[in-house]
């Protein structure tokens, strides 16, 4: 029993260290930091598709293969809705509109990847909110709709939330 | 088998499990519930109430995960549960202020960048940092200590679902801090004038920092939930740990290593199966009561 506890404890510590390394390797100093990011809230969107260029590159790199084409679109739909939320976080009306857009995008993501949607979400949101000002704008947008009753689609209709 | 060999075997096994957990899954169209095609079938409203580490987007995903897992299990549930049409809702517990506090503390005290903070919001680092636990340790018996407007909003939603013309039974599945609010909301529903019939509202708590479940409902808290374990040290009356995540690789991933994530509870075994079984038995009890 003692041996098992020692081994399990050791393993847990290794896992925790590994987890830390995984976090460190995927943080702001990971490959994405070499991309041309700016510190402004909106960042650079040269192709005017509603998604910051560094996030566009992240999505295209992460979901590059043919089998991920549907996921590439779903993640970009969410990224676009978050970007709008950040830029319009001072407006309660716009925040409500964009929160609804985020819900539709997340329902699309759940329809596309019903088992792994959460890890995909965690990673792309971390890319989107990579500065304190963007993080604070995201939370401010949430605060604008804290008493709203946002409509949900039932699971059998989530696919209809996907934009073509 | 030598100690070194067995250690390598365990590490390799965990690596394989970690990889398996990250395998892409196929798109699967969820089919409509057959009972929902019948206008006369009884309806239930299943509410998810989020915890303090959960932003609006995560609340939507947590509610979606609950719906997906429930619907996947529904075909094997009791006939009384299958005969009802289950509708899913969110009762949002606004957390933007608290998460902003965690963000600032994470940056200042732990040296987290924004990216690392968002990747590890429910991870081991923040769960053990002492940043989050104090929010869940305030007195839970006094309603004036918590957001009364939110309690009223939630309780009103439950009452409207139960009352005519909706006539729906209500099951609440709160996570973490959502349990504190749900208990007070439950009390509010039944202490107002003209309360609904007893037994029309039930709670199945997940990862609860509370010392009770409203209406003597069921709860599941994992023995590897670092946050709740920390709270139980300070508040020994906190409900016991009665499930776990097995040897889930989730415990070794940055996003879930705190053992507190709702998604983790509904992914790992046996917690997932036990929560769904608690929902099933609560729904069987609800089916026996007529709300109108």
């Amino acid at each position: 029993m003692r041996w098992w506890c020692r081994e399990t404890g050791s393993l847990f510590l290794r896992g925790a260290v590994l987890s830390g390394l995984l976090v460190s390797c995927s943080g702001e100093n990971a490959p994405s930091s070499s991309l041309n990011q700016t510190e402004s809230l909106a960042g650079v969107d040269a192709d005017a598709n509603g998604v910051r260029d560094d996030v566009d590159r992240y999505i295209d790199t992460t979901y590059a293969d043919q089998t991920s084409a549907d996921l590439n679109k779903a993640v970009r739909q969410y990224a676009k809705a978050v970007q709008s939320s950040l830029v319009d976080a001072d407006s309660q009306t716009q925040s409500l509109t964009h929160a609804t857009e985020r819900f539709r995008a997340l329902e699309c993501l759940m329809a596309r990847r019903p088992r792994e949607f959460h890890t995909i979400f965690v990673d792309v949101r971390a890319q989107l909110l990579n500065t304190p000002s963007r993080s604070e704008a995201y939370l401010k947008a949430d605060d604008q709709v804290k008493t709203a009753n946002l409509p949900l689609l039932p699971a059998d209709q989530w696919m209809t939330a996907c934009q073509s | 088998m030598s100690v070194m060999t067995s250690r390598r075997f365990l590490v390799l096994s965990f690596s394989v499990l970690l990889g398996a957990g990250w395998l892409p899954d196929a798109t699967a169209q969820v089919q409509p519930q057959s009972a929902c095609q019948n206008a006369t079938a009884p309806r239930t409203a299943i509410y998810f109430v989020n915890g303090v580490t959960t932003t609006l987007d995560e609340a939507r995903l947590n509610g979606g995960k609950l719906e997906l897992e429930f619907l996947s299990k529904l075909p094997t549930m009791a006939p009384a549960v299958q005969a009802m049409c289950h509708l899913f809702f969110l009762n949002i517990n606004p957390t933007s202020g608290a998460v902003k506090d965690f963000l600032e503390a994470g940056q200042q005290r732990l040296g987290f960048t924004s990216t690392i903070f968002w990747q590890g919001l429910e991870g081991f680092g923040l769960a053990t940092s002492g940043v989050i636990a104090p929010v869940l340790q305030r007195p839970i018996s006094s309603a004036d200590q918590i957001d009364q407007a939110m309690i009223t909003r939630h309780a009103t939603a439950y009452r409207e679902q139960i009352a005519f013309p909706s006539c729906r039974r209500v099951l609440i599945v709160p996570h973490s801090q959502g349990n504190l609010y749900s208990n007070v909301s439950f009390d509010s529903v039944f202490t107002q004038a003209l309360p609904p019939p007893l037994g029309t509202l039930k709670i199945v708590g997940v990862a609860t920092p509370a010392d009770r479940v409203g209406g003597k409902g069921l709860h599941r808290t994992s023995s590897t939930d670092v946050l709740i374990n920390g709270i139980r040290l300070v508040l020994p009356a906190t409900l016991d740990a009665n499930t776990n995540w097995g040897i889930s690789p989730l415990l070794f991933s940055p996003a879930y290593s705190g053992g507190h994530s709702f998604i983790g509870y509904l992914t790992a075994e046996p917690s997932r199966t036990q929560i769904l079984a608690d929902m099933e038995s609560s729904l069987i009890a609800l089916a026996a009561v007529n709300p109108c």
Side-chain angles (χ1 to χ4, degrees):
Chain A
M1 185 64 181
R2 282 182 181 172
W3 172 87
W4 187 88
C5 291
R6 194 170 61 244
E7 288 300 297
T8 307
S10 169
L11 195 60
F12 187 80
L13 282 174
R14 283 162 183 246
V17 170
L18 178 64
S19 298
L21 288 172
L22 286 171
V23 169
S24 300
C25 291
S26 53
E28 286 168 333
N29 296 326
S32 63
S33 67
S34 62
L35 302 174
N36 182 23
Q37 295 180 0
T38 70
E39 294 295 312
S40 71
L41 181 66
V44 176
D45 179 16
D47 62 356
N49 70 342
V51 178
R52 287 200 326 263
D53 293 345
D54 60 299
V55 177
D56 267 331
R57 282 191 289 270
Y58 164 80
I59 295 170
D60 286 335
T61 303
T62 309
Y63 308 107
D65 58 281
Q66 196 64 36
T67 57
S68 299
D70 62 336
L71 185 54
N72 185 304
K73 283 184 183 174
V75 173
R76 202 179 308 276
Q77 182 180 336
Y78 174 69
K80 187 175 179 180
V82 172
Q83 178 72 1
S84 301
S85 294
L86 303 187
V87 172
D88 293 330
D90 288 332
S91 162
Q92 189 171 28
T93 308
Q94 290 295 306
S95 292
L96 186 59
T97 300
H98 300 319
T100 305
E101 292 166 354
R102 275 156 46 200
F103 271 26
R104 295 296 84 80
L106 292 170
E107 287 158 356
C108 172
L109 181 60
M110 289 190 284
R112 295 288 191 211
R113 293 296 183 277
R115 280 171 52 201
E116 60 175 353
F117 62 82
H118 190 248
T119 52
I120 295 167
F121 158 80
V122 167
D123 285 343
V124 72
R125 187 178 66 170
Q127 296 289 328
L128 284 158
L129 307 181
N130 62 346
T131 68
S133 65
R134 288 167 186 155
S135 300
E136 287 170 18
Y138 176 77
L139 294 171
K140 185 173 187 181
D142 267 15
D143 203 46
Q144 295 278 21
V145 299
K146 66 182 178 185
T147 59
N149 187 13
L150 295 167
L152 311 181
L153 286 180
D156 59 90
Q157 294 175 27
W158 286 349
M159 205 64 88
T160 65
C162 297
Q163 295 171 352
S164 55
Chain B
M1 188 182 285
S2 70
V3 170
M4 187 59 75
T5 306
S6 64
R7 182 182 295 171
R8 281 178 181 165
F9 173 76
L10 280 171
V11 170
L12 183 63
S13 301
F14 275 113
S15 302
V16 169
L17 283 169
L18 191 65
W22 264 234
L23 284 174
D25 51 359
T27 299
Q29 178 69 45
V30 176
Q31 296 304 310
Q33 298 170 57
S34 55
C36 295
Q37 313 303 311
N38 178 0
T40 61
R43 263 59 179 165
T44 60
I46 300 179
Y47 276 85
F48 173 73
V49 183
N50 60 295
V52 74
T53 54
T54 313
T55 60
L56 189 62
D57 288 346
E58 274 154 335
R60 179 66 196 101
L61 293 178
N62 287 355
K65 176 72 172 175
L66 180 68
E67 188 170 353
L68 280 174
E69 295 298 338
F70 178 84
L71 292 179
S72 73
K73 178 81 171 142
L74 183 58
T76 61
M77 287 186 178
V81 179
Q82 292 187 49
M84 295 190 289
C85 171
H86 307 284
L87 307 171
F88 287 79
F89 300 88
L90 291 181
N91 252 346
I92 296 294
N93 164 22
T95 58
S96 52
V99 176
K100 188 177 179 185
D101 291 344
F102 302 156
L103 174 65
E104 289 170 357
Q107 289 171 332
Q108 292 165 9
R109 286 165 51 180
L110 304 171
F112 286 180
T113 63
S114 299
T115 303
I116 289 175
F117 171 80
W118 289 110
Q119 286 177 322
L121 183 55
E122 294 193 305
F124 187 81
L126 273 169
T128 56
S129 66
V131 170
I132 298 173
V135 179
L136 301 175
Q137 288 171 358
R138 59 185 160 191
I140 56 174
S141 55
S142 50
D144 60 337
Q145 296 268 344
I146 55 182
D147 185 344
Q148 194 57 50
M150 194 191 69
I151 296 298
T152 302
R153 198 167 60 249
H154 287 196
T156 301
Y158 304 139
R159 287 175 65 91
E160 287 178 355
Q161 290 279 7
I162 297 168
F164 183 84
S166 295
C167 297
R168 293 169 180 160
R169 295 131 174 110
V170 175
L171 176 63
I172 312 171
V173 183
H175 173 238
S176 188
Q177 188 193 39
N179 283 276
L180 306 181
Y181 291 111
S182 296
N183 283 342
V184 182
S185 299
F186 183 96
D187 295 343
S188 175
V189 165
F190 287 102
T191 54
Q192 291 178 12
L194 298 175
L198 281 174
T200 50
L201 175 63
K202 285 202 165 290
I203 299 176
V204 172
V206 177
T208 178
D211 56 4
R212 68 184 177 100
V213 182
K216 297 181 180 174
L218 304 170
H219 85 281
R220 291 290 168 184
T221 298
S222 169
S223 57
T224 52
D225 188 323
V226 174
L227 196 56
I228 302 301
N229 283 346
I231 289 167
R232 198 179 293 105
L233 288 176
V234 180
L235 301 172
T238 302
L239 288 171
D240 59 313
N242 57 359
T243 190
N244 62 77
W245 290 13
I247 54 166
S248 171
L250 295 176
L251 288 167
F252 298 90
S253 69
Y256 308 99
S257 55
H260 187 66
S261 155
F262 185 75
I263 297 274
Y265 268 86
L266 277 179
T267 301
E269 294 290 0
S271 57
R272 171 187 169 277
T273 296
Q274 290 175 334
I275 290 166
L276 293 172
D278 288 349
M279 289 178 70
E280 181 181 10
S281 64
S282 299
L283 287 165
I284 290 170
L286 281 168
V289 181
N290 190 354
C292 290

